[in-house]
Amino acid sequence: MDCECLAGCPFFHDRMSRMPSMSDLWKQNYCQGDSLHCARHIVFASLGTESVPPDLYPNEVDRARSIVSGGR
């Protein structure tokens, strides 16, 4: 099952639009199946879409946890 954020995720539609093969690999790892390991989804699920930094990469889980806990 795809992540509910995938269709409108600015990371993939803006930042990764020029790298389709890399984008597909990241989508397989972070968006298709278990999105609980995606840093962007961690922030989204806890704080909402508006709190997800545009430059947050899916693999930046430590940064996401810091954001969720009130750090930046």
Side-chain angles (χ1 to χ4, degrees):
M1 179 192 242
D2 287 350
C3 172
E4 70 267 29
C5 303
L6 182 57
C9 183
F11 180 80
F12 288 107
H13 299 289
D14 297 338
R15 194 174 277 280
M16 298 296 288
S17 64
R18 294 188 185 131
M19 298 185 292
S21 59
M22 180 63 81
S23 177
D24 287 343
L25 181 62
W26 282 52
K27 283 178 189 176
Q28 287 174 356
N29 289 330
Y30 294 102
C31 309
Q32 297 169 328
D34 186 3
S35 60
L36 298 177
H37 301 290
C38 174
R40 298 182 63 79
H41 192 271
I42 290 169
V43 176
F44 161 77
S46 295
L47 303 175
T49 303
E50 65 282 348
S51 296
V52 180
D55 64 340
L56 182 66
Y57 277 71
N59 63 334
E60 294 183 301
V61 174
D62 289 339
R63 181 176 171 207
R65 289 183 181 139
S66 175
I67 293 167
V68 168
S69 69
R72 289 283 168 180

